[in-house]
Amino acid sequence: MSGKPTRPPVLVVGSDHLVRAGITALVTTAGYSSTCRAPYPVRADSQASMSSNPIWVFVPTLQTPEEAVDLLQGCHSRSVLVSPSLSPLWVWSAGESGIGGFVHMHEPPALLLTAIEEVAAGRRYHSPGYQRTKQSHLVRNDAFFRILSRREQQILAGVCRGEGDEQLGHALGISHLTVAVHRRSIRQKISAHNDRDLVRYAIEWGLHPFAA
């Protein structure tokens, strides 16, 4: 018996039907034996009983940083993320999650096929866009500590929306004094002197509610 090794099926997971269908067509054209489509969200381990052991391709819409981290926590080494953002938080979160592949949605489709092939072979693949963000933002010794906690991200998002400590405390179910403590912690972490600095940081790192 001879011939090419059987390619694993690819399970494309996303909420946008057109994007999901487009990736499905791309992967099918590339010669993969089976391509499935599933509604989003689906965790990478939610169908662990599947005997086909597929490559998972996650195609999330642009979400809040908290949702991004939650999504990536469900990924594993046989998953490829088609990311809606190249912000430092997305790149850092993907690296921490152990996901097998990362490609930005606006990078050439051939890079997605390369990522799938590499992951199927047991290797990792991070696109040029991922590498650029990592080199420009995440090579500093203090990069890890510049990533804010979930609560700090919530506080920062509120600051970007112009909410005061009282309003933020009510929305998050904590006291305004606790909000003030978090705000001081954020400023110390990023060496910010005022709210304008906080908003600038939020935009740079993709933490601003309206950042792309």
Side-chain angles (χ1 to χ4, degrees):
M1 296 178 64
S2 61
K4 296 181 180 179
T6 302
R7 288 182 166 183
V10 175
L11 182 60
V12 182
V13 183
S15 58
D16 188 309
H17 173 73
L18 292 178
V19 173
R20 193 176 68 220
I23 292 178
T24 298
L26 173 70
V27 172
T28 301
T29 302
Y32 282 84
S33 59
S34 176
T35 301
C36 304
R37 289 176 290 177
Y40 178 80
V42 175
R43 295 289 185 178
D45 59 355
S46 66
Q47 296 187 19
S49 61
M50 292 180 63
S51 60
S52 56
N53 196 20
I55 301 296
W56 294 71
V57 176
F58 287 91
V59 193
T61 55
L62 186 60
Q63 300 163 300
T64 66
E66 295 89 348
E67 291 171 330
V69 172
D70 286 344
L71 168 69
L72 292 172
Q73 286 175 347
C75 299
H76 54 43
S77 61
R78 287 182 66 81
S79 299
V80 176
L81 176 71
V82 180
S83 175
S85 173
L86 282 173
S87 73
L89 181 65
W90 275 88
V91 168
W92 178 83
S93 299
E96 290 294 301
S97 73
I99 194 169
F102 181 106
V103 177
H104 185 245
M105 64 169 49
H106 295 310
E107 291 183 296
L111 294 184
L112 174 57
L113 296 178
T114 299
I116 293 171
E117 291 171 3
E118 290 295 296
V119 170
R123 297 184 290 267
R124 295 187 185 279
Y125 178 84
H126 296 131
S127 73
Y130 175 102
Q131 299 295 344
R132 284 194 298 271
T133 297
K134 184 175 181 180
Q135 288 297 317
S136 63
H137 288 83
L138 301 176
V139 295
R140 299 181 299 235
N141 291 333
D142 66 340
F144 175 81
F145 298 102
R146 294 171 69 86
I147 298 293
L148 307 180
S149 69
R150 172 175 293 196
R151 179 64 82 191
E152 288 168 342
Q153 291 173 33
Q154 291 172 331
I155 299 294
L156 182 55
V159 172
C160 292
R161 291 191 296 266
E163 298 174 5
D165 291 354
E166 292 277 0
Q167 186 177 359
L168 267 169
H170 179 74
L172 297 174
I174 57 179
S175 74
H176 70 280
L177 295 177
T178 302
V179 172
V181 169
H182 281 300
R183 193 187 290 247
R184 283 196 299 271
S185 175
I186 296 170
R187 287 180 174 174
Q188 289 173 356
K189 282 187 176 184
I190 67 175
S191 301
H193 301 290
N194 51 48
D195 285 353
R196 181 177 297 178
D197 288 342
L198 293 181
V199 173
R200 184 182 301 113
Y201 175 90
I203 294 173
E204 177 187 5
W205 281 79
L207 297 165
H208 194 287
F210 306 110

